[in-house]
Amino acid sequence: MATVLDLDQLRSFVAIAESGSFTRAGDVVHKTQSAVSMQMRRLEERIGKPIFERDGRQSKLTEEGERLLNYARRLIKLNDETLAAFNDTELTGRVRLGTPDDYADRFLPEILARFARSNPRVEVTVVCEPTPMLLDCLRANDLDVAIITNCAAVGRIGGAVIRREPLLWVTSARHCAHEETPLPLALGRPTCDWRQAAVGGLDALGRQHRLLYSSWSSAAVGAAVMAGLAVSVLPESALRPGMRVLSETDGFPRLPFVEIGLVRSPHHATPLVDALVDHIVSSLDNLSVPMVAE
């Protein structure tokens, strides 16, 4: 009798491949790490070949696992499209999401993947801009919903805080820019709350500093940090492997917590926007923190 593949196991398998971790995959598919591990053992039994190998903290696919991944994605997509074709209540249309690029790399893959699996007939348009520009887009009805980082505006425009996490000093794990005097900094533009908190904290300590890089782009700021050229501040979830977190024992002041907000367009509300908001809130609730050097 031919072996039948389990789509639930394949969804967990794809989640592991995309997140690099059984634990993070469990968050995506709403299962415990042990349940995901059991699914993968059974999937390997069905395939008859090993599909994972350990690579430090990461779960790396074997050559056979890479082959299976392509088939798994196609099977899941075909299954979802088939069900959607016969579901008269399936959501359709287009929804417009805005987010600062501070969070695009970290949040969007999981949010969009989970939303697409549940709503395969919906088109999501993503705009990456700083928070002030996103708020302008919402007022102009150019966005349906936005993730923002300047939560002082949330209450005024009917938004809600959906995540709170510490703002941290970061440097390269392979360089010593944090030991230089004056301290080289890579920060946002002058109106950035995180920049103001960082500079205010250093001034209060009387520590000399100089601003070398100023940009709205977190990618540009992060590149300066990773190259060992400067120190910056980032929220916990935006940390990257290769960064080192600096604390008060390293001579850096404690920073405030960061609040991440979710704001809808004031012009209209639809079931489509409601569905996307639910996925965003769920994804951020389950978001794990990347491993970085202490």
Side-chain angles (χ1 to χ4, degrees), residues 1 16 31 42 49 67 93 115 120-121 129 154 162 178 188 193 206 220 246 253 281 285:
M1 181 177 177
I16 296 167
K31 299 183 187 297
R42 290 176 177 169
K49 297 181 182 297
R67 289 179 56 198
F115 187 73
R121 297 168 65 185
E129 295 284 1
V154 166
I162 56 174
H178 59 286
D193 291 345
L246 300 166
V281 172
D285 281 345

mmCIF file with all atom_site columns, all heavy atoms in Angstrom, residues 1 16 31 42 49 67 93 115 120-121 129 154 162 178 188 193 206 220 246 253 281 285:
data_model
loop_
_atom_site.group_PDB
_atom_site.id
_atom_site.type_symbol
_atom_site.label_atom_id
_atom_site.label_alt_id
_atom_site.label_comp_id
_atom_site.label_asym_id
_atom_site.label_entity_id
_atom_site.label_seq_id
_atom_site.pdbx_PDB_ins_code
_atom_site.Cartn_x
_atom_site.Cartn_y
_atom_site.Cartn_z
_atom_site.occupancy
_atom_site.B_iso_or_equiv
_atom_site.pdbx_formal_charge
_atom_site.auth_seq_id
_atom_site.auth_comp_id
_atom_site.auth_asym_id
_atom_site.auth_atom_id
_atom_site.pdbx_PDB_model_num
ATOM 1   N N   . MET A 1 1   ? 0.845   -1.198 0.000  1.00 0.00 ? 1   MET A N   1
ATOM 2   C CA  . MET A 1 1   ? 0.000   0.000  0.000  1.00 0.00 ? 1   MET A CA  1
ATOM 3   C C   . MET A 1 1   ? 0.885   1.255  0.000  1.00 0.00 ? 1   MET A C   1
ATOM 4   O O   . MET A 1 1   ? 1.874   1.331  0.725  1.00 0.00 ? 1   MET A O   1
ATOM 5   C CB  . MET A 1 1   ? -0.905  0.019  1.238  1.00 0.00 ? 1   MET A CB  1
ATOM 6   C CG  . MET A 1 1   ? -1.828  1.223  1.316  1.00 0.00 ? 1   MET A CG  1
ATOM 7   S SD  . MET A 1 1   ? -2.926  1.131  2.756  1.00 0.00 ? 1   MET A SD  1
ATOM 8   C CE  . MET A 1 1   ? -3.762  2.700  2.576  1.00 0.00 ? 1   MET A CE  1
ATOM 9   N N   . ILE A 1 16  ? 9.849   24.641 10.108 1.00 0.00 ? 16  ILE A N   1
ATOM 10  C CA  . ILE A 1 16  ? 11.203  24.421 10.629 1.00 0.00 ? 16  ILE A CA  1
ATOM 11  C C   . ILE A 1 16  ? 12.239  24.907 9.620  1.00 0.00 ? 16  ILE A C   1
ATOM 12  O O   . ILE A 1 16  ? 13.210  25.588 9.966  1.00 0.00 ? 16  ILE A O   1
ATOM 13  C CB  . ILE A 1 16  ? 11.429  22.935 10.954 1.00 0.00 ? 16  ILE A CB  1
ATOM 14  C CG1 . ILE A 1 16  ? 10.501  22.478 12.072 1.00 0.00 ? 16  ILE A CG1 1
ATOM 15  C CG2 . ILE A 1 16  ? 12.888  22.687 11.355 1.00 0.00 ? 16  ILE A CG2 1
ATOM 16  C CD1 . ILE A 1 16  ? 10.446  20.966 12.247 1.00 0.00 ? 16  ILE A CD1 1
ATOM 17  N N   . LYS A 1 31  ? 2.102   24.449 18.004 1.00 0.00 ? 31  LYS A N   1
ATOM 18  C CA  . LYS A 1 31  ? 2.347   23.159 18.635 1.00 0.00 ? 31  LYS A CA  1
ATOM 19  C C   . LYS A 1 31  ? 3.553   23.281 19.558 1.00 0.00 ? 31  LYS A C   1
ATOM 20  O O   . LYS A 1 31  ? 4.370   24.187 19.404 1.00 0.00 ? 31  LYS A O   1
ATOM 21  C CB  . LYS A 1 31  ? 2.620   22.059 17.586 1.00 0.00 ? 31  LYS A CB  1
ATOM 22  C CG  . LYS A 1 31  ? 1.478   21.797 16.619 1.00 0.00 ? 31  LYS A CG  1
ATOM 23  C CD  . LYS A 1 31  ? 1.826   20.653 15.670 1.00 0.00 ? 31  LYS A CD  1
ATOM 24  C CE  . LYS A 1 31  ? 0.749   20.505 14.608 1.00 0.00 ? 31  LYS A CE  1
ATOM 25  N NZ  . LYS A 1 31  ? -0.552  20.149 15.190 1.00 0.00 ? 31  LYS A NZ  1
ATOM 26  N N   . ARG A 1 42  ? 8.061   10.967 12.571 1.00 0.00 ? 42  ARG A N   1
ATOM 27  C CA  . ARG A 1 42  ? 7.105   10.197 11.770 1.00 0.00 ? 42  ARG A CA  1
ATOM 28  C C   . ARG A 1 42  ? 7.235   10.516 10.289 1.00 0.00 ? 42  ARG A C   1
ATOM 29  O O   . ARG A 1 42  ? 7.075   9.634  9.437  1.00 0.00 ? 42  ARG A O   1
ATOM 30  C CB  . ARG A 1 42  ? 5.689   10.487 12.257 1.00 0.00 ? 42  ARG A CB  1
ATOM 31  C CG  . ARG A 1 42  ? 5.410   9.884  13.645 1.00 0.00 ? 42  ARG A CG  1
ATOM 32  C CD  . ARG A 1 42  ? 4.047   10.261 14.156 1.00 0.00 ? 42  ARG A CD  1
ATOM 33  N NE  . ARG A 1 42  ? 3.769   9.617  15.448 1.00 0.00 ? 42  ARG A NE  1
ATOM 34  C CZ  . ARG A 1 42  ? 2.758   9.908  16.226 1.00 0.00 ? 42  ARG A CZ  1
ATOM 35  N NH1 . ARG A 1 42  ? 1.903   10.860 15.864 1.00 0.00 ? 42  ARG A NH1 1
ATOM 36  N NH2 . ARG A 1 42  ? 2.573   9.283  17.375 1.00 0.00 ? 42  ARG A NH2 1
ATOM 37  N N   . LYS A 1 49  ? 14.081  8.383  4.876  1.00 0.00 ? 49  LYS A N   1
ATOM 38  C CA  . LYS A 1 49  ? 15.415  8.990  4.829  1.00 0.00 ? 49  LYS A CA  1
ATOM 39  C C   . LYS A 1 49  ? 15.495  10.117 5.859  1.00 0.00 ? 49  LYS A C   1
ATOM 40  O O   . LYS A 1 49  ? 14.477  10.754 6.172  1.00 0.00 ? 49  LYS A O   1
ATOM 41  C CB  . LYS A 1 49  ? 15.723  9.557  3.431  1.00 0.00 ? 49  LYS A CB  1
ATOM 42  C CG  . LYS A 1 49  ? 15.775  8.507  2.330  1.00 0.00 ? 49  LYS A CG  1
ATOM 43  C CD  . LYS A 1 49  ? 16.113  9.130  0.996  1.00 0.00 ? 49  LYS A CD  1
ATOM 44  C CE  . LYS A 1 49  ? 16.108  8.077  -0.102 1.00 0.00 ? 49  LYS A CE  1
ATOM 45  N NZ  . LYS A 1 49  ? 17.139  7.050  0.118  1.00 0.00 ? 49  LYS A NZ  1
ATOM 46  N N   . ARG A 1 67  ? 15.239  18.348 -0.961 1.00 0.00 ? 67  ARG A N   1
ATOM 47  C CA  . ARG A 1 67  ? 14.359  17.845 -2.019 1.00 0.00 ? 67  ARG A CA  1
ATOM 48  C C   . ARG A 1 67  ? 12.910  17.815 -1.558 1.00 0.00 ? 67  ARG A C   1
ATOM 49  O O   . ARG A 1 67  ? 12.001  18.202 -2.286 1.00 0.00 ? 67  ARG A O   1
ATOM 50  C CB  . ARG A 1 67  ? 14.791  16.429 -2.429 1.00 0.00 ? 67  ARG A CB  1
ATOM 51  C CG  . ARG A 1 67  ? 16.094  16.349 -3.206 1.00 0.00 ? 67  ARG A CG  1
ATOM 52  C CD  . ARG A 1 67  ? 16.428  14.909 -3.536 1.00 0.00 ? 67  ARG A CD  1
ATOM 53  N NE  . ARG A 1 67  ? 15.352  14.267 -4.268 1.00 0.00 ? 67  ARG A NE  1
ATOM 54  C CZ  . ARG A 1 67  ? 15.216  12.948 -4.386 1.00 0.00 ? 67  ARG A CZ  1
ATOM 55  N NH1 . ARG A 1 67  ? 16.066  12.137 -3.772 1.00 0.00 ? 67  ARG A NH1 1
ATOM 56  N NH2 . ARG A 1 67  ? 14.219  12.445 -5.093 1.00 0.00 ? 67  ARG A NH2 1
ATOM 57  N N   . GLY A 1 93  ? -9.308  39.820 -2.168 1.00 0.00 ? 93  GLY A N   1
ATOM 58  C CA  . GLY A 1 93  ? -9.062  41.247 -2.298 1.00 0.00 ? 93  GLY A CA  1
ATOM 59  C C   . GLY A 1 93  ? -7.628  41.605 -1.974 1.00 0.00 ? 93  GLY A C   1
ATOM 60  O O   . GLY A 1 93  ? -6.729  40.757 -2.002 1.00 0.00 ? 93  GLY A O   1
ATOM 61  N N   . PHE A 1 115 ? -0.455  34.427 7.224  1.00 0.00 ? 115 PHE A N   1
ATOM 62  C CA  . PHE A 1 115 ? -1.643  35.021 6.628  1.00 0.00 ? 115 PHE A CA  1
ATOM 63  C C   . PHE A 1 115 ? -1.938  34.400 5.259  1.00 0.00 ? 115 PHE A C   1
ATOM 64  O O   . PHE A 1 115 ? -3.099  34.124 4.929  1.00 0.00 ? 115 PHE A O   1
ATOM 65  C CB  . PHE A 1 115 ? -1.457  36.530 6.491  1.00 0.00 ? 115 PHE A CB  1
ATOM 66  C CG  . PHE A 1 115 ? -2.694  37.250 6.037  1.00 0.00 ? 115 PHE A CG  1
ATOM 67  C CD1 . PHE A 1 115 ? -3.765  37.416 6.902  1.00 0.00 ? 115 PHE A CD1 1
ATOM 68  C CD2 . PHE A 1 115 ? -2.783  37.757 4.756  1.00 0.00 ? 115 PHE A CD2 1
ATOM 69  C CE1 . PHE A 1 115 ? -4.915  38.081 6.494  1.00 0.00 ? 115 PHE A CE1 1
ATOM 70  C CE2 . PHE A 1 115 ? -3.925  38.423 4.337  1.00 0.00 ? 115 PHE A CE2 1
ATOM 71  C CZ  . PHE A 1 115 ? -5.000  38.578 5.207  1.00 0.00 ? 115 PHE A CZ  1
ATOM 72  N N   . PRO A 1 120 ? -5.234  32.366 1.036  1.00 0.00 ? 120 PRO A N   1
ATOM 73  C CA  . PRO A 1 120 ? -4.412  32.281 -0.180 1.00 0.00 ? 120 PRO A CA  1
ATOM 74  C C   . PRO A 1 120 ? -4.899  33.145 -1.336 1.00 0.00 ? 120 PRO A C   1
ATOM 75  O O   . PRO A 1 120 ? -4.156  33.380 -2.285 1.00 0.00 ? 120 PRO A O   1
ATOM 76  C CB  . PRO A 1 120 ? -4.488  30.786 -0.550 1.00 0.00 ? 120 PRO A CB  1
ATOM 77  C CG  . PRO A 1 120 ? -5.755  30.305 0.086  1.00 0.00 ? 120 PRO A CG  1
ATOM 78  C CD  . PRO A 1 120 ? -5.892  31.082 1.356  1.00 0.00 ? 120 PRO A CD  1
ATOM 79  N N   . ARG A 1 121 ? -6.135  33.660 -1.251 1.00 0.00 ? 121 ARG A N   1
ATOM 80  C CA  . ARG A 1 121 ? -6.661  34.469 -2.353 1.00 0.00 ? 121 ARG A CA  1
ATOM 81  C C   . ARG A 1 121 ? -6.553  35.973 -2.079 1.00 0.00 ? 121 ARG A C   1
ATOM 82  O O   . ARG A 1 121 ? -7.067  36.787 -2.828 1.00 0.00 ? 121 ARG A O   1
ATOM 83  C CB  . ARG A 1 121 ? -8.124  34.094 -2.611 1.00 0.00 ? 121 ARG A CB  1
ATOM 84  C CG  . ARG A 1 121 ? -8.287  32.654 -3.057 1.00 0.00 ? 121 ARG A CG  1
ATOM 85  C CD  . ARG A 1 121 ? -9.740  32.206 -3.023 1.00 0.00 ? 121 ARG A CD  1
ATOM 86  N NE  . ARG A 1 121 ? -10.558 32.932 -3.975 1.00 0.00 ? 121 ARG A NE  1
ATOM 87  C CZ  . ARG A 1 121 ? -11.890 32.794 -4.072 1.00 0.00 ? 121 ARG A CZ  1
ATOM 88  N NH1 . ARG A 1 121 ? -12.511 31.964 -3.244 1.00 0.00 ? 121 ARG A NH1 1
ATOM 89  N NH2 . ARG A 1 121 ? -12.573 33.484 -4.957 1.00 0.00 ? 121 ARG A NH2 1
ATOM 90  N N   . GLU A 1 129 ? 8.421   52.152 5.590  1.00 0.00 ? 129 GLU A N   1
ATOM 91  C CA  . GLU A 1 129 ? 8.753   53.562 5.773  1.00 0.00 ? 129 GLU A CA  1
ATOM 92  C C   . GLU A 1 129 ? 8.915   53.833 7.265  1.00 0.00 ? 129 GLU A C   1
ATOM 93  O O   . GLU A 1 129 ? 8.428   53.064 8.099  1.00 0.00 ? 129 GLU A O   1
ATOM 94  C CB  . GLU A 1 129 ? 7.638   54.470 5.217  1.00 0.00 ? 129 GLU A CB  1
ATOM 95  C CG  . GLU A 1 129 ? 7.423   54.401 3.715  1.00 0.00 ? 129 GLU A CG  1
ATOM 96  C CD  . GLU A 1 129 ? 8.493   55.134 2.928  1.00 0.00 ? 129 GLU A CD  1
ATOM 97  O OE1 . GLU A 1 129 ? 9.421   55.690 3.559  1.00 0.00 ? 129 GLU A OE1 1
ATOM 98  O OE2 . GLU A 1 129 ? 8.389   55.158 1.686  1.00 0.00 ? 129 GLU A OE2 1
ATOM 99  N N   . VAL A 1 154 ? -0.120  56.468 19.317 1.00 0.00 ? 154 VAL A N   1
ATOM 100 C CA  . VAL A 1 154 ? -1.125  55.409 19.248 1.00 0.00 ? 154 VAL A CA  1
ATOM 101 C C   . VAL A 1 154 ? -2.455  55.849 19.825 1.00 0.00 ? 154 VAL A C   1
ATOM 102 O O   . VAL A 1 154 ? -3.513  55.688 19.212 1.00 0.00 ? 154 VAL A O   1
ATOM 103 C CB  . VAL A 1 154 ? -0.623  54.137 19.971 1.00 0.00 ? 154 VAL A CB  1
ATOM 104 C CG1 . VAL A 1 154 ? -1.774  53.174 20.196 1.00 0.00 ? 154 VAL A CG1 1
ATOM 105 C CG2 . VAL A 1 154 ? 0.460   53.457 19.150 1.00 0.00 ? 154 VAL A CG2 1
ATOM 106 N N   . ILE A 1 162 ? 0.792   46.547 21.062 1.00 0.00 ? 162 ILE A N   1
ATOM 107 C CA  . ILE A 1 162 ? 0.662   45.095 20.959 1.00 0.00 ? 162 ILE A CA  1
ATOM 108 C C   . ILE A 1 162 ? 1.912   44.337 21.412 1.00 0.00 ? 162 ILE A C   1
ATOM 109 O O   . ILE A 1 162 ? 1.893   43.117 21.509 1.00 0.00 ? 162 ILE A O   1
ATOM 110 C CB  . ILE A 1 162 ? 0.315   44.673 19.517 1.00 0.00 ? 162 ILE A CB  1
ATOM 111 C CG1 . ILE A 1 162 ? 1.370   45.200 18.524 1.00 0.00 ? 162 ILE A CG1 1
ATOM 112 C CG2 . ILE A 1 162 ? -1.075  45.149 19.141 1.00 0.00 ? 162 ILE A CG2 1
ATOM 113 C CD1 . ILE A 1 162 ? 1.165   44.706 17.103 1.00 0.00 ? 162 ILE A CD1 1
ATOM 114 N N   . HIS A 1 178 ? 32.802  49.817 21.126 1.00 0.00 ? 178 HIS A N   1
ATOM 115 C CA  . HIS A 1 178 ? 32.200  50.301 22.379 1.00 0.00 ? 178 HIS A CA  1
ATOM 116 C C   . HIS A 1 178 ? 33.246  50.757 23.392 1.00 0.00 ? 178 HIS A C   1
ATOM 117 O O   . HIS A 1 178 ? 32.905  51.385 24.398 1.00 0.00 ? 178 HIS A O   1
ATOM 118 C CB  . HIS A 1 178 ? 31.340  49.204 22.999 1.00 0.00 ? 178 HIS A CB  1
ATOM 119 C CG  . HIS A 1 178 ? 32.091  47.951 23.305 1.00 0.00 ? 178 HIS A CG  1
ATOM 120 N ND1 . HIS A 1 178 ? 32.503  47.065 22.321 1.00 0.00 ? 178 HIS A ND1 1
ATOM 121 C CD2 . HIS A 1 178 ? 32.516  47.431 24.488 1.00 0.00 ? 178 HIS A CD2 1
ATOM 122 C CE1 . HIS A 1 178 ? 33.134  46.050 22.885 1.00 0.00 ? 178 HIS A CE1 1
ATOM 123 N NE2 . HIS A 1 178 ? 33.162  46.250 24.195 1.00 0.00 ? 178 HIS A NE2 1
ATOM 124 N N   . GLY A 1 188 ? 19.288  56.734 14.457 1.00 0.00 ? 188 GLY A N   1
ATOM 125 C CA  . GLY A 1 188 ? 18.280  57.245 13.541 1.00 0.00 ? 188 GLY A CA  1
ATOM 126 C C   . GLY A 1 188 ? 18.376  58.753 13.379 1.00 0.00 ? 188 GLY A C   1
ATOM 127 O O   . GLY A 1 188 ? 19.305  59.403 13.859 1.00 0.00 ? 188 GLY A O   1
ATOM 128 N N   . ASP A 1 193 ? 12.920  58.620 18.591 1.00 0.00 ? 193 ASP A N   1
ATOM 129 C CA  . ASP A 1 193 ? 12.855  58.470 20.051 1.00 0.00 ? 193 ASP A CA  1
ATOM 130 C C   . ASP A 1 193 ? 14.038  57.669 20.581 1.00 0.00 ? 193 ASP A C   1
ATOM 131 O O   . ASP A 1 193 ? 14.562  57.955 21.657 1.00 0.00 ? 193 ASP A O   1
ATOM 132 C CB  . ASP A 1 193 ? 11.553  57.774 20.459 1.00 0.00 ? 193 ASP A CB  1
ATOM 133 C CG  . ASP A 1 193 ? 10.339  58.668 20.224 1.00 0.00 ? 193 ASP A CG  1
ATOM 134 O OD1 . ASP A 1 193 ? 10.527  59.875 20.029 1.00 0.00 ? 193 ASP A OD1 1
ATOM 135 O OD2 . ASP A 1 193 ? 9.206   58.139 20.233 1.00 0.00 ? 193 ASP A OD2 1
ATOM 136 N N   . GLY A 1 206 ? 27.874  61.643 31.279 1.00 0.00 ? 206 GLY A N   1
ATOM 137 C CA  . GLY A 1 206 ? 29.055  62.439 30.963 1.00 0.00 ? 206 GLY A CA  1
ATOM 138 C C   . GLY A 1 206 ? 30.009  61.717 30.043 1.00 0.00 ? 206 GLY A C   1
ATOM 139 O O   . GLY A 1 206 ? 31.206  62.033 30.001 1.00 0.00 ? 206 GLY A O   1
ATOM 140 N N   . ALA A 1 220 ? 21.047  50.103 7.286  1.00 0.00 ? 220 ALA A N   1
ATOM 141 C CA  . ALA A 1 220 ? 22.276  50.883 7.213  1.00 0.00 ? 220 ALA A CA  1
ATOM 142 C C   . ALA A 1 220 ? 22.915  51.019 8.595  1.00 0.00 ? 220 ALA A C   1
ATOM 143 O O   . ALA A 1 220 ? 24.134  50.879 8.749  1.00 0.00 ? 220 ALA A O   1
ATOM 144 C CB  . ALA A 1 220 ? 21.988  52.260 6.628  1.00 0.00 ? 220 ALA A CB  1
ATOM 145 N N   . LEU A 1 246 ? 25.298  45.314 25.123 1.00 0.00 ? 246 LEU A N   1
ATOM 146 C CA  . LEU A 1 246 ? 26.088  46.012 26.134 1.00 0.00 ? 246 LEU A CA  1
ATOM 147 C C   . LEU A 1 246 ? 25.193  46.395 27.314 1.00 0.00 ? 246 LEU A C   1
ATOM 148 O O   . LEU A 1 246 ? 24.059  46.831 27.115 1.00 0.00 ? 246 LEU A O   1
ATOM 149 C CB  . LEU A 1 246 ? 26.719  47.265 25.535 1.00 0.00 ? 246 LEU A CB  1
ATOM 150 C CG  . LEU A 1 246 ? 27.665  47.015 24.349 1.00 0.00 ? 246 LEU A CG  1
ATOM 151 C CD1 . LEU A 1 246 ? 27.951  48.312 23.614 1.00 0.00 ? 246 LEU A CD1 1
ATOM 152 C CD2 . LEU A 1 246 ? 28.955  46.352 24.818 1.00 0.00 ? 246 LEU A CD2 1
ATOM 153 N N   . PRO A 1 253 ? 24.271  53.291 29.923 1.00 0.00 ? 253 PRO A N   1
ATOM 154 C CA  . PRO A 1 253 ? 23.077  53.544 30.740 1.00 0.00 ? 253 PRO A CA  1
ATOM 155 C C   . PRO A 1 253 ? 21.911  52.639 30.350 1.00 0.00 ? 253 PRO A C   1
ATOM 156 O O   . PRO A 1 253 ? 21.806  52.186 29.202 1.00 0.00 ? 253 PRO A O   1
ATOM 157 C CB  . PRO A 1 253 ? 22.749  55.009 30.424 1.00 0.00 ? 253 PRO A CB  1
ATOM 158 C CG  . PRO A 1 253 ? 23.274  55.214 29.041 1.00 0.00 ? 253 PRO A CG  1
ATOM 159 C CD  . PRO A 1 253 ? 24.526  54.392 28.959 1.00 0.00 ? 253 PRO A CD  1
ATOM 160 N N   . VAL A 1 281 ? -1.103  40.318 15.492 1.00 0.00 ? 281 VAL A N   1
ATOM 161 C CA  . VAL A 1 281 ? -1.083  40.230 16.946 1.00 0.00 ? 281 VAL A CA  1
ATOM 162 C C   . VAL A 1 281 ? -0.615  38.854 17.385 1.00 0.00 ? 281 VAL A C   1
ATOM 163 O O   . VAL A 1 281 ? 0.219   38.706 18.290 1.00 0.00 ? 281 VAL A O   1
ATOM 164 C CB  . VAL A 1 281 ? -2.476  40.543 17.525 1.00 0.00 ? 281 VAL A CB  1
ATOM 165 C CG1 . VAL A 1 281 ? -2.505  40.271 19.020 1.00 0.00 ? 281 VAL A CG1 1
ATOM 166 C CG2 . VAL A 1 281 ? -2.847  41.997 17.247 1.00 0.00 ? 281 VAL A CG2 1
ATOM 167 N N   . ASP A 1 285 ? 2.886   38.001 19.414 1.00 0.00 ? 285 ASP A N   1
ATOM 168 C CA  . ASP A 1 285 ? 2.783   37.328 20.716 1.00 0.00 ? 285 ASP A CA  1
ATOM 169 C C   . ASP A 1 285 ? 3.727   36.140 20.799 1.00 0.00 ? 285 ASP A C   1
ATOM 170 O O   . ASP A 1 285 ? 4.304   35.841 21.848 1.00 0.00 ? 285 ASP A O   1
ATOM 171 C CB  . ASP A 1 285 ? 1.351   36.843 20.963 1.00 0.00 ? 285 ASP A CB  1
ATOM 172 C CG  . ASP A 1 285 ? 0.430   37.968 21.409 1.00 0.00 ? 285 ASP A CG  1
ATOM 173 O OD1 . ASP A 1 285 ? 0.945   39.034 21.796 1.00 0.00 ? 285 ASP A OD1 1
ATOM 174 O OD2 . ASP A 1 285 ? -0.798  37.779 21.357 1.00 0.00 ? 285 ASP A OD2 1
#
